Amino acid sequence: MLDDRVFVPCGNSNNQAVVYDPTGSTPIAIPGEAGWTNAALLVSGEVLVTNDSGDAALFDPRSMSFVATQSSPMARAGAVAHPLTDGRV
């Protein structure tokens, strides 16, 4: 993330994600239904997360919460999201 913390999406657990702080602080688990398999940092500081079903959400590091966003019209297995220089992913 923009502040050097590391966002890890959880594909197989009881948490949506874990946020690690390189300063040694205790990792923060974001509870909820898991299943995110991909994450991409956006220029806004938010993290776009997706899963193999095409669902998507934005993670806001300020509120440590997810907001649903436009999903893909089709499922895709093993896809990777990359931010482009113009802000699109």
Side-chain angles (χ1 to χ4, degrees):
M1 298 188 313
L2 294 178
D3 61 3
D4 293 332
R5 291 179 296 169
V6 178
F7 177 91
V8 180
C10 294
N12 296 314
S13 74
N14 294 324
N15 298 312
Q16 294 185 71
V18 176
V19 176
Y20 291 96
D21 188 332
T23 64
S25 298
T26 303
I28 301 169
I30 311 300
E33 185 177 332
W36 303 122
T37 55
N38 191 30
L41 179 62
L42 305 178
V43 295
S44 66
E46 296 172 307
V47 179
L48 173 69
V49 292
T50 61
N51 64 21
D52 289 345
S53 298
D55 300 322
L58 292 173
F59 176 75
D60 182 348
R62 292 172 293 282
S63 65
M64 298 293 280
S65 63
F66 289 88
V67 176
T69 190
Q70 182 179 355
S71 295
S72 171
M74 67 183 82
R76 52 180 60 95
V80 176
H82 291 283
L84 303 175
T85 56
D86 66 2
R88 294 179 300 146
V89 177

